[in-house]
Amino acid sequence: MTPDYLAEFLALAAIHFLAVVAPGPDFAVTIRQSVLYGRRLGIATAVGIGAGISVHVIYTLLGVGALMHTTPWLLSAAELVGGAYLLYLGVTFIRQAGKHTTGLALDAGAETGARSFRQSFALGFLTNATNPKATLFFLALFTTVVSDSTPLRIQMFYGGWMCLVNAGWFVLVSLVFTSPPVRERFLRIGHWFERLMGVLLIAFSMRLLWGIGGMLFTFSQ
């Protein structure tokens, strides 16, 4: 990192970190996976979330982000897909509430019995990659903070850094929520906990879909 781009990097890193630690779909999914299935699969989900950021980085660097920014219907389509996925996750969490917590023990067998490492990674990856809020965030960040003259290699470094920070933060979240005392408390109220996570995801999705509906109504006028 050269001094010429240090200030730009620090600004980007600070804004990104504040966005990462704010509770959202990634946070809800990581906590649920960690509490229900244990540390190994919670970390797999966290790493998947970090990898999901690469999708936003790649299309931004390829200029697809700028295309979406100048093509409202394309951006609305991306938001619609993301909102529908979050709605699906929320409904699934509520429907499955209590099914996984009954008799779940705090041992290695319980950690690997319900989901595979690959499935947990994929869940984390898709939750982030299809999150339209992340799409909007990257559009705003790379158009307002990152200069047009910043070399591609520096922008790639920015993207790699954000992937690592996302993964690192949610690994930390997973470690906290898989500590035996914390996890045991959550498992006692497992069905209510799952329903709460589901309601939060549905709230995220409905807020997003409501905004899309308002935009479409405006376009039709």
Side-chain angles (χ1 to χ4, degrees), residues 10-20 137 141 145:
L10 292 176
L12 178 141
I15 295 171
H16 172 247
F17 182 73
L18 291 175
V20 169
F137 175 76
L141 195 62
V145 177

Side-chain angles (χ1 to χ4, degrees), residues 78-90:
E79 292 179 340
L80 185 61
V81 171
Y85 180 70
L86 293 180
L87 180 61
Y88 163 77
L89 277 184

Side-chain angles (χ1 to χ4, degrees), residues 2 19 38 48 54 57 60 64 67 84 90 99 102 108 113 159 183 193 195:
T2 62
S54 64
V57 172
T60 300
V64 177
L67 175 62
K99 292 181 180 180
T102 304
R183 188 182 178 206
F193 170 73
R195 286 169 183 162

Side-chain angles (χ1 to χ4, degrees), residues 13-126:
I15 295 171
H16 172 247
F17 182 73
L18 291 175
V20 169
V21 300
D26 294 341
F27 191 78
V29 169
T30 300
I31 293 178
R32 179 180 184 270
Q33 285 290 106
S34 300
V35 171
L36 294 184
Y37 306 121
R39 181 162 296 177
R40 179 174 176 270
L41 300 189
I43 290 176
T45 306
V47 173
I49 290 171
I53 284 287
S54 64
V55 174
H56 307 293
V57 172
I58 290 171
Y59 68 62
T60 300
L61 296 182
L62 291 176
V64 177
L67 175 62
M68 295 176 69
H69 189 66
T70 57
T71 311
W73 70 266
L74 189 59
L75 183 58
S76 295
E79 292 179 340
L80 185 61
V81 171
Y85 180 70
L86 293 180
L87 180 61
Y88 163 77
L89 277 184
V91 172
T92 300
F93 284 9
I94 292 175
R95 290 182 62 186
Q96 294 180 350
K99 292 181 180 180
H100 302 299
T101 54
T102 304
L104 189 61
L106 296 176
D107 56 25
E111 292 188 5
T112 57
R115 283 182 178 268
S116 70
F117 189 96
R118 181 181 299 178
Q119 288 174 318
S120 297
F121 177 90
L123 176 62
F125 182 90
L126 288 173

